Amino acid sequence: MSFLKSFPPPGSAEGLRQQQPDTEAVLNGKGLGTGTLYIAESRLSWLDGSGLGFSLEYPTISLHAVSRDLNAYPREHLYVMVNAKFGEESRESLSDEEDEDSDDDVEPIAEFRFVPSDKSALEAMFSAMCECQALHPDPEDEDSDDYDGEEYDVEAHEQGQGDIPTFYTYEEGLSHLTAEGQATLERLEGMLSQSVSSQYNMAGVRTEDSIRDYEDGMEVDTTPTVAGQFEDADVDH
């Protein structure tokens, strides 16, 4: 494959998390050979015995998982999906680019399978991938909480190029009401005042109206006692 290149393997300076020797690399069903998989914080790399290999940048990796389905592939492996094209597919896509204008919105996808000779290492490989992938969040996910509504353009409104909302005072608002609207407003205000008055009485607030209603409904002995207090015959002393 022409995309295989020679480069030094990532080391501790690049945050190497997992180094898995004797790992076969498979791209879209085609075997690339057996080599060493390097899972580092900076990138995911694979190199064969001759020093040729490739690196994958984490932002291009859309999915990684441990596959144990032997119907999908005969050996358990680390599955990695990448939003890019490699090898012969990449050259073909470049030569046919002008003839495929209708597919411009289709994102390229490549499937890698990393098959270690020791399948017990798959869990460690997967954990290292998760840790490194988390260090490279998707910029689109970071902007997902941004407000998507229409922004208020201050400069445009100052220049009279935008629709400025109209606000009225209470008196101005009344003048814009129709006769039916004014009648409805008066009825609502009356209902509101009655509701507030009843709440005061229920809460034990003694207004002039509540005192008058209380005195009209009950006989109260207002004869002053020696101490200047009201005398209540129903109270035992």
Side-chain angles (χ1 to χ4, degrees):
M1 295 269 181
S2 61
F3 73 94
L4 297 178
K5 299 178 180 180
S6 178
F7 59 90
S12 57
E14 297 182 74
L16 182 62
R17 296 291 186 95
Q18 179 81 9
Q19 179 176 334
Q20 191 62 39
D22 198 16
T23 299
E24 180 184 4
V26 180
L27 169 59
N28 295 331
K30 299 179 181 180
L32 304 179
T34 301
T36 301
L37 179 66
Y38 300 88
I39 304 176
E41 296 177 357
S42 58
R43 65 185 191 273
L44 177 67
S45 303
W46 178 88
L47 290 168
D48 62 12
S50 65
L52 292 176
F54 58 88
S55 292
L56 304 177
E57 301 296 332
Y58 287 106
T60 66
I61 299 176
S62 58
L63 174 67
H64 68 276
V66 174
S67 176
R68 304 186 188 277
D69 185 0
L70 301 183
N71 293 323
Y73 196 79
R75 298 173 60 188
E76 298 179 10
H77 60 278
L78 178 67
Y79 175 84
V80 178
M81 180 183 291
V82 181
N83 296 331
K85 285 187 177 182
F86 297 85
E88 296 178 357
E89 293 182 352
S90 179
R91 292 201 303 270
E92 293 174 359
S93 63
L94 290 175
S95 61
D96 297 337
E97 183 177 359
E98 296 181 356
D99 299 333
E100 297 179 354
D101 294 338
S102 60
D103 297 334
D104 288 342
D105 296 336
V106 178
E107 191 171 14
I109 293 177
E111 294 180 319
F112 286 89
R113 302 179 193 272
F114 297 101
V115 188
S117 59
D118 181 11
K119 66 179 183 179
S120 64
L122 284 172
E123 291 297 334
M125 295 165 60
F126 176 76
S127 298
M129 279 286 299
C130 291
E131 294 171 359
C132 296
Q133 185 80 52
L135 300 176
H136 302 269
D138 190 345
E140 294 183 0
D141 293 340
E142 294 180 350
D143 298 335
S144 60
D145 294 335
D146 292 347
Y147 176 69
D148 295 331
E150 183 179 356
E151 295 183 358
Y152 185 85
D153 192 339
V154 177
E155 183 177 355
H157 285 290
E158 289 179 349
Q159 297 175 358
Q161 300 176 357
D163 295 332
I164 302 177
T166 304
F167 299 95
Y168 297 107
T169 63
Y170 178 77
E171 291 77 10
E172 292 173 342
L174 288 178
S175 65
H176 284 78
L177 287 176
T178 62
E180 182 180 358
Q182 291 180 358
T184 302
L185 178 61
E186 293 176 357
R187 184 171 65 255
L188 291 175
E189 289 179 342
M191 295 172 60
L192 179 61
S193 62
Q194 292 179 1
S195 175
V196 172
S197 176
S198 62
Q199 289 178 3
Y200 277 126
N201 290 332
M202 292 178 62
V205 178
R206 301 188 66 184
T207 62
E208 293 182 357
D209 292 339
S210 62
I211 294 175
R212 188 180 303 105
D213 293 341
Y214 179 80
E215 291 178 348
D216 293 342
M218 298 184 62
E219 293 183 358
V220 181
D221 185 1
T222 57
T223 303
T225 61
V226 176
Q229 298 179 350
F230 293 106
E231 185 178 44
D232 191 345
D234 295 332
V235 179
D236 294 333
H237 296 285

